[in-house]
Amino acid sequence: MNLDPLVWPAGTRVGPDGAVSVAGVDLRDLAAEHGTPAYVLDEADFRERARGWVVAFRDAFAGLGTDVDVYYAGKAFLSVAVARWAHEEGLRIDTATGGELAVALRAGVPGADIGLHGNNKSDVEIGRALDAGVGRIVIDSLQEVDRIADAVDLAVHGRAPVMVRVTTGVHAGGHEYISTAHEDQKFGLSVAGGQALETLRAVLARPELELLGIHSHIGSQILDPAGFEVAARTLLELRAQLAEVSGHLVGELDLGGGYGIAYLPGEVPLDPERVATELAATVGAVCAELATSVPRISIEPGRAVVGPTTLTLYTVGTVKPVTVPDGSVRTYVSVDGGMSDNLRPALYGARYSAAVVSGGRDGAPVTARVVGKHCESGDVVVHDVDLPGDLRAGDLLAVPATGAYGRSMASNYNHVPRPPVVAVRDGACRVLVRRETEDDLLGLDLG
Ligand code: LLP
């Protein structure tokens, strides 16, 4: 069995009997101890990828004499341990809600190393961010300038460090729902429409706020660095324009996240060194053109840090041949999870692969579709995959590259408890997030 190393966690190994281990843990043993479904996260791989983004960007921008901060976008997957690992590897933590902020703080990440986003932050979230002394709050509307400034008590908080999120008109990424910087959507302030400049000036007019810089996030699952370069140019031009009208040259640009990964065998992820080098070249050239200094840079990768580090481990249940309209037969393989642990196929038409990881199956491959256990025909986990024809109920099936937006978008649809996240490292397991139980769910139901 051949498992593409770009798609599977780095510590994945196939044994002689076809049984698969990750970081020295046999997935059969993991399933026996922790049950299925389970998210299995390769800790060393997470740390390596996290550090890889820091090193690639720091190295690329060092040539321009500037530094880079890498924020791990916690929306992709955040737990206390993961926030701590990311911070230990030199990343800061990007949070999108008070809940994510609470996780980062629980992990002991200093407020100064946390950013807070959100297009509709509540007063409570703003207050908590100020009290925690977050390193930056990213403003997403003109109204928010006054809302944050009014919440600042200068004697207690000092000036609140903020950025302004702008939309550059670049539309990049896999699906309309995950592309966020084109016009006519809820995020950011339009550069072309003038609201970006207006909001930046409004920030400068409030002494309670310290304008750190300008932010842009152009989309997600982006495989071509060109979009980042166009966005960087637009931000640098806006920065120069703001300096011209206000005399204030902001010190930092955040280019957001969105770096694409490989989901299917043969796909090629965006390479951190390549994107960092090309972006540094663009930033250097545009700054020279505009005769401005090179700003500090920050980025916010989520998927590219955690996505490939994790697989979802399922147990096979019903296996059923279905004759499809063209007369051929497709084998429907049902697993003990589905759209409640991975919404991405149903929501975005996302494609995944799968493999039998409990070994002992060498039947001729059949065309299979892996489906979940939910009461919905769109509950598909993997649309098309070749699986051994002698696959049986009780076999273990793993779907790789589910670390980003898998557990973080999981639901309790059909009252299915959410799976645990089990970290593996050096032959040992550690449960980061325990399995939900029916009692957890019933505990919310007040009768
Ligand atoms: N920064 C900001 C401001 C963002 O809005 C996002 C993602 C990120 C960073 C991280 O993007 P990443 O590097 O993970 O692509 N649920 C969708 C993805 C939504 C992304 C939303 N924003 C999915 O499953 O594909």
Side-chain angles (χ1 to χ4, degrees):
M1 190 166 54
N2 208 354
L3 301 182
D4 187 333
L6 292 177
V7 179
W8 291 76
T12 305
R13 300 288 177 272
V14 183
D17 56 350
V20 173
S21 63
V22 182
V25 175
D26 187 316
L27 293 174
R28 294 172 298 192
D29 297 339
L30 189 148
E33 192 180 341
H34 299 284
T36 61
Y39 302 101
V40 180
L41 192 169
D42 181 341
E43 176 180 344
D45 193 17
F46 179 95
R47 288 180 178 272
E48 184 79 19
R49 288 174 193 279
R51 200 166 47 239
W53 284 91
V54 175
V55 171
F57 269 73
R58 292 230 161 113
D59 284 358
F61 281 85
L64 297 178
T66 196
D67 204 1
V68 179
D69 296 311
V70 179
Y71 286 75
Y72 169 59
K75 69 200 77 189
F77 172 63
L78 200 63
S79 74
V80 169
V82 156
R84 202 173 282 145
W85 298 345
H87 194 249
E88 283 168 3
E89 298 304 331
L91 288 78
R92 299 180 178 191
I93 308 295
D94 166 42
T95 64
T97 60
E100 290 178 6
L101 175 61
V103 179
L105 290 172
R106 174 73 64 88
V109 178
D113 288 346
I114 301 174
L116 178 69
H117 270 283
N119 68 299
N120 188 26
K121 302 171 193 76
S122 68
D123 291 340
V124 171
E125 287 172 320
I126 291 171
R128 281 163 77 186
L130 293 174
D131 290 343
V134 298
R136 62 195 204 186
I137 301 177
V138 183
I139 289 179
D140 206 290
S141 67
L142 182 57
Q143 283 171 0
E144 214 175 59
V145 175
D146 286 336
R147 284 185 60 220
I148 297 172
D150 290 346
V152 171
D153 179 343
L154 277 172
V156 176
H157 305 117
R159 295 170 78 205
V162 300
M163 297 189 103
V164 172
R165 177 167 174 174
V166 307
T167 46
T168 56
V170 179
H171 179 139
H175 187 283
E176 191 193 344
Y177 298 169
I178 54 178
S179 301
T180 54
H182 56 293
E183 309 295 341
D184 201 6
Q185 47 77 34
K186 70 175 185 172
F187 290 109
L189 292 141
S190 167
V191 175
Q195 291 92 347
L197 189 62
E198 183 189 4
T199 306
L200 287 161
R201 298 186 74 172
V203 171
L204 290 175
R206 293 292 311 240
E208 302 88 343
L209 303 179
E210 179 195 359
L211 180 60
L212 298 181
I214 309 176
H215 182 286
S216 143
H217 172 79
I218 59 172
S220 208
Q221 185 52 16
I222 298 168
L223 291 166
D224 178 356
F228 294 107
E229 291 163 37
V230 175
R233 170 176 281 279
T234 306
L235 294 192
L236 288 165
E237 287 171 355
L238 177 64
R239 173 177 179 252
Q241 194 188 356
L242 177 67
E244 217 174 275
V245 297
S246 71
H248 185 92
L249 185 69
V250 297
E252 184 168 342
L253 294 189
D254 190 308
L255 300 170
Y259 309 100
I261 64 168
Y263 280 100
L264 297 177
E267 285 181 352
V268 181
L270 201 53
D271 174 51
E273 279 82 23
R274 176 176 166 217
V275 66
T277 310
E278 293 184 12
L279 259 173
T282 302
V283 168
V286 176
C287 286
E289 233 175 75
L290 298 171
T292 52
S293 61
V294 176
R296 192 179 181 91
I297 297 292
S298 45
I299 58 166
E300 298 170 341
R303 185 191 317 266
V305 174
V306 72
T309 67
T310 300
L311 56 77
T312 311
L313 189 60
Y314 299 103
T315 301
V316 171
T318 304
V319 179
K320 178 158 87 171
V322 174
T323 304
V324 299
D326 70 5
S328 63
V329 172
R330 193 198 299 278
T331 303
Y332 273 72
V333 175
S334 298
V335 293
D336 51 352
M339 63 192 295
S340 57
D341 59 71
N342 189 357
L343 188 57
R344 300 191 72 259
L347 192 57
Y348 310 123
R351 300 286 165 146
Y352 287 84
S353 69
V356 176
V357 293
S358 41
R361 297 283 172 249
D362 55 8
V366 293
T367 304
R369 175 160 293 171
V370 181
V371 295
K373 62 178 290 163
H374 295 278
C375 286
E376 189 155 326
S377 52
D379 175 26
V380 172
V381 179
V382 182
H383 283 86
D384 278 301
V385 60
D386 282 350
L387 291 175
D390 53 349
L391 170 97
R392 298 266 176 292
D395 286 349
L396 295 175
L397 192 82
V399 173
T402 54
Y405 307 105
R407 179 62 176 77
S408 72
M409 297 205 303
S411 76
N412 295 121
Y413 184 35
N414 296 138
H415 263 252
V416 171
R418 288 174 295 179
V421 180
V422 181
V424 288
R425 177 183 169 174
D426 298 334
C429 292
R430 174 179 162 206
V431 178
L432 303 187
V433 181
R434 73 159 168 83
R435 183 183 302 286
E436 247 170 1
T437 63
E438 281 177 8
D439 282 344
D440 288 329
L441 301 186
L442 284 168
L444 301 172
D445 186 330
L446 301 184

